[in-house]
């Protein structure tokens, strides 16, 4: 029987993210997938700003920016007449915008990223059985070389809506299905509508055409398909691409002729499929040492491009916790925080996408930030200190800010430049009266509590200067951007988790409270 620390089932964007984040932290893992090759489909296209922030932290972002295209917004039409225009424009405090990138490119980039950590997907390798015993998980695999037994400390099921892992665990997946059947196509479109804008064109009675831009002047088209009875699979989960009938270019052109608000010709069909939509949520995201992430845990309408992005955030939340557990450094109950934090997020996303599928989306104000997944938070959760009166509160996304100066750097740097480490970050905001020994004492105590897996920085407020005896890396809040973004007060300590969420804001002069907070995450000793 072979052994590994973590076995990941499923090599879509979610499984690849789990594996890459584990390998980035030096954890031994295997990632298996039953398919012989990646699927060539643009199933998920929209990339949310929050996902781009995560890819910035992991080092993948530059390659994504080379291949993605901006998503400017959505043009709507009813019976051929222009309707509301939804502009996907965020305020300047958000570093990245909305992007379009076909899933086959996302998977290729993540696979290459994983290869940089010395790991590769094992294909035509299917997980068929799970037994939890003696503090490990025994997994049965069917491979091209025959059957194999693997002993792992943990298993993560990222194997989609029809998850074998979920069924083996007996985890409920309650929900329902939409009655309509749809068809998809990846095509070139010749028309006079502006580039970078999605198009949603409807007719009275419910007929609809949705066109999402792809790189290279292509679009992914989705539209209603001729109704056919379907019982689904996996106990009635009718969700995702279907086998069998695939629409032809002529089928797609016929709908475009009927619904396009401008004369349009489709050509160069790369792929097409029919698909159905369900909305379901797993009863729980974990069972012992086995976890669910992505579509294995939640499925819903594609409205707002929430699915893949939510799954990637599942993976990002789970991987750093698993890495600590594998090393024996996790506090009791740390892995239980995965379900506690991510299940409510999945529940909210399922409910919201169902509402938007039925009643539409305006894209205004906070609604746009929510769609961008910037408002996901873990306030009141097991790893967050109680909320105070200031925002961001513990559990909120840690915001970026500019105009921070650093010695030896001739231009301002971003706060996010400090958050690319796989470890916790401690930011100590120092004013003119903040004592040097309190900064050192807080950083030393926090570093010890985190077993050295914490990076500490002092951020000096305007009017405060580093003294000659400072032993910590320092930055200057020259433009006051940090104070504004964090509502920071002199002598305040901010603990930021590896997944970019604020865990605590506490007094620098009370290192015992900072240590107490870190004990929620790290084992004593």
């Amino acid at each position: 029987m072979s052994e590994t620390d973590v076995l990941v089932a499923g090599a879509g964007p979610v499984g690849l993210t789990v594996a890459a984040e584990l390998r980035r932290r030096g954890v031994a893992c295997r990632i298996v997938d039953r398919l012989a090759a990646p699927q060539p489909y643009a199933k998920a296209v929209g990339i949310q700003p929050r996902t781009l922030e995560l890819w910035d932290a992991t080092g993948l972002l530059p390659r994504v920016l080379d291949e993605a295209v901006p998503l400017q917004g959505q043009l709507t039409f009813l019976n051929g007449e222009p309707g509301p225009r939804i502009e996907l424009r965020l305020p300047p405090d958000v570093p990245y915008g909305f992007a379009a990138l076909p899933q086959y490119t996302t998977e290729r980039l993540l696979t290459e990223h994983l290869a940089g950590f010395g790991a590769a997907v094992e294909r035509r390798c299917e997980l068929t059985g799970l037994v939890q015993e003696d503090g490990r998980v025994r997994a049965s695999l069917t491979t091209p070389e025959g059957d194999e037994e693997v002993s792992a400390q943990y298993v993560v099921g990222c194997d989609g809506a029809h998850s074998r892992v979920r069924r083996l665990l007996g985890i409920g997946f309650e929900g329902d299905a939409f009655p309509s059947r749809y068809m998809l196509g990846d095509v070139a479109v010749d028309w006079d509508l502006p580039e970078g804008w999605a198009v949603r064109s409807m007719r009275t009675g419910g007929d609809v055409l949705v066109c999402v831009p792809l790189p290279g002047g292509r679009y992914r088209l989705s539209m209603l398909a001729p109704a056919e009875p379907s019982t689904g699979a996996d106990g009635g989960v009718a969700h995702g691409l279907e086998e069998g009938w695939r629409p032809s270019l002529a089928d797609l052109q016929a709908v475009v002729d009927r619904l396009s608000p401008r004369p349009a010709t489709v050509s160069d069909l790369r792929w097409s499929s029919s698909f159905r939509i369900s909305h379901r949520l797993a009863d729980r995201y974990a069972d012992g040492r086995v976890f669910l992430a992505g579509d294995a845990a939640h499925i819903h309408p594609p409205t707002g491009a929430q699915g893949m992005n939510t799954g990637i955030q599942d993976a990002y939340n789970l991987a750093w916790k698993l890495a600590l557990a594998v090393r024996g450094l996790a506090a009791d109950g740390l892995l239980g925080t995965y379900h506690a934090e991510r299940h409510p997020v999945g529940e909210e996303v399922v409910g919201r996408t169902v509402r938007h599928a039925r009643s539409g989306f305006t894209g205004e104000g906070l609604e746009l930030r929510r769609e961008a997944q910037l408002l996901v938070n873990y306030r009141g959760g097991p790893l967050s200190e109680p909320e105070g009166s200031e925002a961001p509160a513990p559990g909120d996304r840690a915001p970026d800010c500019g105009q921070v100066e650093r010695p030896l750097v001739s231009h301002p740097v971003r706060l996010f430049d400090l958050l690319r480490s796989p470890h916790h970050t401690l930011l100590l905001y120092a004013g003119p009266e903040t004592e040097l020994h309190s900064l050192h004492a807080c950083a030393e105590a926090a570093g010890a509590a985190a077993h050295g897996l914490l990076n500490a920085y002092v951020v000096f407020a305007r009017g405060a200067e580093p003294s000659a005896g400072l032993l910590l890396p320092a930055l200057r809040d020259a433009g006051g951007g940090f104070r504004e973004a964090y509502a920071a007060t002199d002598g305040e300590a901010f603990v930021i988790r590896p997944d970019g969420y604020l865990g605590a804001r506490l007094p620098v002069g009370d290192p015992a409270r900072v240590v107490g907070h870190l004990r929620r995450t790290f084992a004593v000793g």
Side-chain angles (χ1 to χ4, degrees), residues 364-377:
E364 297 178 353
L366 288 179
E367 188 177 37
L368 186 58
R369 279 187 177 261
R370 191 171 302 281
E371 292 295 300
Q373 301 196 336
L374 299 170
L375 299 185
V376 171
N377 71 80

Side-chain angles (χ1 to χ4, degrees), residues 159-368:
D159 47 346
H162 308 288
S163 170
R164 173 72 63 84
V165 172
R166 187 187 63 241
R167 283 183 284 157
L168 289 170
L169 295 174
I171 293 177
F173 200 43
E174 296 302 315
D176 205 348
F178 284 82
S180 300
R181 183 168 174 251
Y182 299 85
M183 51 188 186
L184 283 174
D186 179 343
V187 297
V189 181
D190 182 13
W191 58 9
D192 62 359
L193 290 173
E195 293 183 2
W197 290 81
V199 175
R200 182 181 179 89
S201 183
M202 300 163 285
R203 295 283 179 184
T204 302
D207 208 359
V208 62
L209 168 68
V210 177
C211 310
V212 180
L214 300 171
R218 301 180 66 84
Y219 287 81
R220 190 200 66 187
L221 310 186
S222 61
M223 60 205 74
L224 289 168
E228 288 185 6
S230 173
T231 58
D234 186 23
V237 178
H239 187 84
L241 303 184
E242 296 182 321
E243 299 294 334
W245 178 78
R246 298 177 183 274
S248 67
L249 190 64
D251 294 323
L252 301 176
Q253 183 68 60
V255 177
V256 168
D257 289 343
R258 186 172 73 247
L259 291 176
S260 176
R262 300 283 190 275
T265 301
V266 299
S267 61
D268 191 18
L269 176 62
R270 182 170 289 168
W271 65 268
S272 67
S273 182
S274 60
F275 74 103
R276 293 182 181 274
I277 299 171
S278 289
H279 49 96
R280 296 176 182 271
L281 180 68
D283 295 344
R284 58 191 188 278
Y285 281 16
D287 184 300
R289 290 175 168 266
V290 185
F291 301 84
L292 301 177
D295 284 0
H298 45 77
I299 56 175
H300 44 78
T303 315
Q306 298 295 294
M308 180 187 71
N309 293 274
T310 300
I312 288 173
Q313 288 202 53
D314 290 342
Y316 202 58
N317 180 289
L318 177 60
W320 69 267
K321 299 172 182 177
L322 281 175
L324 288 179
V326 165
R327 296 179 64 176
L329 301 178
D332 291 342
L334 177 64
L335 293 181
T337 69
Y338 171 63
H339 170 88
E341 292 183 337
R342 294 305 298 172
H343 191 271
V345 173
E347 186 174 32
E348 189 277 331
V349 168
V350 171
R352 172 161 47 91
T353 54
V354 169
R355 290 194 304 274
H356 287 171
R358 290 170 173 162
S359 59
F361 162 69
T362 64
E364 297 178 353
L366 288 179
E367 188 177 37
L368 186 58

Side-chain angles (χ1 to χ4, degrees), residues 18 63 79 201 207 231 272 277 396 412 421 426 431-432 437 446 454:
V18 172
R63 299 206 58 202
N79 298 323
S201 183
D207 208 359
T231 58
S272 67
I277 299 171
D396 286 350
S421 163
L426 177 66
H437 74 86
L454 178 143

